[in-house]
Amino acid sequence: MADDFYIDINRASWDERAPAHAASPDYAFDKFVADPQFLSEVVRFDLPLLGDVGGMRGVHLQCHIGTDTISLARLGATMTGLDFSGAAIAEARRLSATCGTAVEFVEADVYDAAAVLAPGTFDLVFTGIGALCWLPDVRRWAEVVAELLRPGGRLFIREGHPVLWSIDERQTDRLVIGYPYFERAEPLVEDAPGTYVTTDVEFTHNTTHSWNHGLGEIVTAVLSAGMQMTGLIEHDSVPWEALPGQMEQIELGEWRVADRPWRLPHSYTLQAAKGR
Ligand SMILES: C[S@@+](CC[C@H](N)C(=O)[O-])C[C@H]1O[C@@H](n2cnc3c(N)ncnc32)[C@H](O)[C@@H]1O
């Protein structure tokens, strides 16, 4: 089987979901248009750890429909967003044009990012919130990140925690580890008709291939690619209802397990810098 057998399957799912996501109140396109200061909840959550991005040249990998990318641009960064879904990039460009915040959006596979963007020039690589799970090889991803960064440039990722990804969401009465924690060559193949935002749209492309990557594997990939870790914080919340029926919504659109949330790392923020 070709290495990239999963790409067309996953892209069909994202291409179909992008317009529904753009129309969903959860992505708040109307608020971005109505208020030039409006920022996504994800970026508002990230701000205390992210700090001042003003004047930075940043790239948002797997930017989806661009709401976080536009938020970073509104904070003063010169942003490029990259995603392999043409439909997601079209929605991102439409939002950028209608809300008046300039961002360059590029359609490409994340593993090709250093080939299609200017390598060694970015002050900031920003990514996460349902990004790494679509990639079969976390080491290859970290090499791309390191290639994109200028010496001294920063990686900022907040992502679903690999322990959370390993929980079987179909078991709603307790937390059960049912999926791989470590990266495996074989994908997790799922057929899921829905999506993670509020929508009435019914989808037809529902098969996805995904992979988990253990926290140690992610850290080792970052270090092996020539970056130095500058922070690793685990959070007790995640910005989508990852375990339906077991979670409650808290502030800033975050969700956490309602029963003893301290049992579970829900997401993490990893920061690293490329050596000078
Ligand atoms: C869950 S979304 C990312 C969410 C984003 N943080 C947000 O909420 O706006 C995942 C994105 O990854 C993109 N994606 C998946 N696999 C990719 C790949 N191999 N290369 C580039 N983009 C990819 C999808 O098209 C989708 O837009």
Side-chain angles (χ1 to χ4, degrees):
M1 200 180 286
D3 282 352
D4 56 0
F5 63 95
Y6 64 92
I7 288 184
D8 290 343
I9 294 167
N10 285 351
R11 190 166 34 213
S13 160
W14 286 110
D15 279 347
E16 200 181 22
R17 281 159 179 76
H21 289 186
S24 169
D26 296 350
Y27 269 106
F29 268 32
D30 53 343
K31 293 184 181 152
F32 279 94
V33 175
D35 177 3
Q37 313 295 325
F38 183 79
L39 303 177
S40 69
E41 289 180 319
V42 165
V43 167
R44 274 184 270 159
F45 180 99
D46 288 341
L47 264 179
L49 290 171
L50 189 58
D52 182 7
V53 297
M56 286 190 181
R57 180 168 150 78
V59 58
H60 181 189
L61 298 179
Q62 295 174 253
C63 65
H64 196 42
I65 55 177
T67 47
D68 298 338
T69 334
I70 286 169
S71 300
L72 294 169
R74 287 182 168 187
L75 291 168
T78 300
M79 289 302 300
T80 300
L82 178 140
D83 200 285
F84 78 165
S85 161
I89 290 295
E91 294 296 347
R93 287 183 181 143
R94 183 170 67 82
L95 178 62
S96 168
T98 48
C99 80
T101 304
V103 168
E104 182 189 18
F105 287 104
V106 175
E107 180 182 333
D109 189 277
V110 72
Y111 286 140
D112 296 330
V116 300
L117 303 174
T121 65
F122 290 96
D123 303 307
L124 174 70
V125 171
F126 179 94
T127 189
I129 311 303
L132 282 193
C133 58
W134 305 111
L135 307 179
D137 183 345
V138 73
R139 283 179 171 259
R140 213 171 133 202
W141 164 82
E143 283 161 14
V144 170
V145 171
E147 272 185 82
L148 289 168
L149 289 172
R150 66 160 173 81
R154 293 168 62 193
L155 164 66
F156 185 102
I157 175 168
R158 183 159 83 105
E159 186 53 282
H161 199 287
V163 173
L164 174 72
W165 292 122
S166 73
I167 304 284
D168 185 346
E169 76 291 348
R170 296 164 301 186
Q171 305 278 338
T172 54
D173 58 336
R174 64 217 143 103
L175 298 175
V176 175
I177 292 191
Y179 302 123
Y181 172 82
F182 294 110
E183 183 178 297
R184 306 186 73 228
E186 301 76 27
L188 180 65
V189 180
E190 290 179 290
D191 189 51
T195 186
Y196 53 87
V197 298
T198 313
T199 180
D200 294 332
V201 178
E202 292 190 8
F203 302 109
T204 54
H205 295 288
N206 297 326
T207 304
T208 57
H209 290 202
S210 64
W211 292 263
N212 204 355
H213 317 282
L215 197 56
E217 293 172 331
I218 297 165
V219 169
T220 301
V222 166
L223 295 173
S224 302
M227 292 176 273
Q228 288 143 16
M229 294 281 298
T230 56
L232 178 59
I233 293 178
E234 293 164 297
H235 307 284
D236 66 357
S237 70
V238 65
W240 74 94
E241 192 182 9
L243 302 172
Q246 293 195 74
M247 300 186 111
E248 62 186 1
Q249 194 163 26
I250 54 171
E251 68 281 359
L252 274 180
E254 295 283 309
W255 294 80
R256 73 163 57 116
V257 166
D259 177 20
R260 294 164 292 153
W262 50 89
R263 289 178 295 160
L264 181 69
H266 292 58
S267 62
Y268 64 90
T269 300
L270 184 157
Q271 297 198 67
K274 182 171 169 178
R276 288 182 189 273

